[in-house]
Amino acid sequence: MKSEQIIGLEEKYIMQTYTRFPIVVDKGIGCYVFDKNGKKYLDFLGGIACNPAGHGNKEVANAIAKQAEKLLNISNLYYTEQQVILAEKLVKISGLGKCFFCNSGAEANETAFKLARKITGKTKIIAMEHAFHGRTFGALAATWKMKYKQPFEPLVPGFAHVPYNNIDAVYSAIDLNTAAVIAEPIQGEAGIIVPDKGYLAKLKKICEEQKILLIADEVQSSLRTGKFFAYQHENIKPDIVTLAKGIANGVPIGICIANKGLDFDKGNHASTFGGNSLACAAANATIDFILKKKLVENAEKIGNYFIKKLNELKEKKAIIKEVRGKGLMVAIELNKEVNPYVDKCLEKGLIVNNVTDTAMRFLPPLTIKEKEVDECIEILDEVL
Ligand SMILES: Cc1ncc(COP(=O)(O)O)c(C=O)c1O
């Protein structure tokens, strides 16, 4: 099909909830994608952090193909191998206790909220202002933006919001009915907001003192900040961690990992597709590839290079107000509306996005090298 035809069919047959860029993406290789007309783009958004091992990754593709021929999904009425391999891997890396598998970030957070209420027997969840946790009713209640929530009220009750990066505010919000605090180690959808060093450790300490649970939403921040989990920068263990996005390099998966001793009872929670063999095989191959190629370390090294280059660009361009981020979770804040600049980048073959009205976000595959960073900076230099 031609691009125009695809765009027309989308409007006719697909619910119009997305504002899409006007290209039809056809295939990807490494950190590049190609549209239907064969135009090449440098992908510095990586499917919004969903392609850490790069597009068209052969090792992940082979694992998926092999598993697809063997077994896709047999439900959780039976034991399957890829699921336990993945669970053991994640428990060892995280230092936590047990996993529950589902299919998206929102579902992973729903699982975390249910588990927190079940374990503590309390209902209140403290979330952060400007947080994003997903679009299902519970995750939406934990999300900050009114625009996302208001048309669907009433949402799940029991959620309160406090300013991010403010320990006193959390302390004041805790009451006798508080089950948990949920925080992103770095806020993603808010525009890549990095809290003060020690923030998460202080959150953990308060939670411990007050006997409530700390949920770290690592859906966006895992893999790309220089540690496998961003919370590991602070030498703490949250009680519950949620994952999704890049863990299976683009195959849908959601995971809730809870610390030792935190578990559901039989029948408390379930997901038909959760932990299916295909998604788990994809995740196993993705994680193996990331560890083998030291991509977590690369994210830190190349991320530092990228941030340095962006700061150099900021010296030249008054339009750049701030460069923020850690590793390959990065944004620049402009002193103008960012949309026209994002569009111009696309025209020039660079994929980025407008995470807020004024911030441009970068979440590239972790396989990028200095050469690709230079290419990105060159385009940004022209566009800005
Ligand atoms: C921190 C965070 N949590 C949860 C979600 C929701 O994930 P999903 O879209 O897979 O439901 C997102 C998605 O952007 C996210 O960034």
Side-chain angles (χ1 to χ4, degrees):
M1 272 191 256
K2 293 234 180 312
S3 296
E4 305 71 48
Q5 196 185 355
I6 294 169
I7 291 170
L9 290 172
E10 191 271 350
E11 194 179 349
K12 190 166 174 199
Y13 291 116
I14 294 181
M15 291 193 193
Q16 294 294 295
T17 66
Y18 299 108
T19 308
R20 299 181 199 259
F21 290 103
I23 61 168
V24 177
V25 181
D26 196 38
K27 63 176 182 181
I29 303 168
C31 55
Y32 292 94
V33 294
F34 298 82
D35 71 13
K36 270 274 175 192
N37 305 320
K39 182 172 167 182
K40 186 178 177 185
Y41 301 83
L42 177 60
D43 182 7
F44 259 56
L45 191 59
I48 323 183
C50 287
N51 300 106
H55 297 285
N57 183 295
K58 286 275 182 292
E59 292 181 36
V60 178
N62 287 341
I64 291 172
K66 206 167 128 199
Q67 190 59 46
E69 285 196 349
K70 199 173 170 199
L71 183 73
L72 288 175
N73 187 25
I74 191 64
S75 87
N76 285 301
L77 296 178
Y78 310 95
Y79 297 94
T80 49
E81 191 175 4
Q82 292 296 329
Q83 199 179 101
V84 296
I85 292 172
L86 179 57
E88 183 180 31
K89 209 174 287 203
L90 288 171
V91 164
K92 287 195 169 151
I93 298 170
S94 65
L96 301 179
K98 284 183 180 174
C99 298
F100 179 87
F101 292 111
C102 45
N103 313 286
S104 67
E107 277 182 66
N109 285 329
E110 296 289 346
T111 308
F113 301 145
K114 284 178 76 173
L115 184 63
R117 286 186 171 179
K118 153 86 176 51
I119 296 289
T120 61
K122 299 176 178 178
T123 59
K124 180 170 166 179
I125 312 269
I126 299 170
M128 302 300 153
E129 291 180 5
H130 304 285
F132 185 82
H133 297 295
R135 305 286 198 136
T136 52
F137 276 104
L140 203 50
T143 289
W144 169 250
K145 229 187 216 176
M146 221 41 216
K147 194 177 102 184
Y148 296 160
K149 310 203 295 188
Q150 194 270 328
F152 310 106
E153 288 178 338
L155 304 177
V156 177
F159 286 79
H161 288 86
V162 298
Y164 190 58
N165 199 23
N166 183 332
I167 293 292
D168 293 342
V170 174
Y171 191 75
S172 305
I174 295 172
D175 60 25
L176 291 174
N177 191 31
T178 304
V181 174
I182 181 165
E184 297 159 79
I186 292 175
Q187 286 191 322
E189 297 306 300
I192 312 294
I193 308 299
V194 185
D196 293 341
K197 206 159 180 274
Y199 171 64
L200 218 59
K202 286 185 194 148
L203 264 188
K204 172 66 186 164
K205 189 157 173 274
I206 281 203
C207 288
E208 244 168 45
E209 282 167 8
Q210 302 294 316
K211 300 200 171 18
I212 59 180
L213 303 176
L214 175 62
I215 305 168
D217 180 339
E218 291 259 10
V219 167
Q220 195 162 144
S221 59
S222 60
L223 305 174
R224 58 180 55 251
T225 68
K227 299 272 185 201
F228 196 99
F229 297 103
Y231 70 77
Q232 291 169 327
H233 288 287
E234 305 227 337
N235 287 321
I236 56 140
K237 275 189 214 168
D239 300 288
I240 303 176
V241 173
T242 55
L243 292 177
K245 284 199 181 281
I247 294 294
N249 210 39
V251 175
I253 192 164
I255 308 157
C256 173
I257 319 176
N259 210 348
K260 294 177 187 75
L262 306 182
D263 201 347
F264 286 113
D265 293 332
K266 299 270 186 205
N268 271 168
H269 198 41
S271 164
T272 295
F273 286 128
N276 70 80
S277 298
L278 183 81
C280 290
N284 281 321
T286 301
I287 295 170
D288 291 349
F289 184 84
I290 285 172
L291 297 179
K292 188 174 81 183
K293 299 284 182 187
K294 298 203 180 320
L295 294 185
V296 172
E297 293 82 346
N298 192 56
E300 180 165 42
K301 192 174 128 239
I302 295 291
N304 286 341
Y305 178 73
F306 184 36
I307 290 169
K308 183 177 121 234
K309 287 281 170 186
L310 286 171
N311 275 310
E312 284 169 16
L313 197 63
K314 177 172 167 273
E315 294 303 306
K316 287 198 336 201
K317 309 270 178 191
I319 189 174
I320 305 179
K321 241 169 74 178
E322 191 188 11
V323 177
R324 299 189 288 262
K326 199 169 176 63
L328 288 173
M329 188 171 181
V330 181
I332 53 175
E333 183 73 34
L334 304 188
N335 54 28
K336 285 207 178 112
E337 252 225 57
V338 74
N339 269 355
Y341 298 97
V342 170
D343 292 344
K344 267 268 172 314
C345 283
L346 192 69
E347 268 172 41
K348 293 200 173 287
L350 173 67
I351 294 182
V352 293
N353 95 315
N354 44 328
V355 63
T356 68
D357 289 346
T358 48
M360 186 184 284
R361 174 172 54 172
F362 312 93
L363 301 163
L366 309 182
T367 51
I368 60 161
K369 303 198 170 61
E370 287 188 3
K371 182 170 83 58
E372 282 98 31
V373 168
D374 294 343
E375 192 182 334
C376 166
I377 295 287
E378 211 170 286
I379 296 174
L380 290 176
D381 195 347
E382 278 175 46
V383 166
L384 296 173

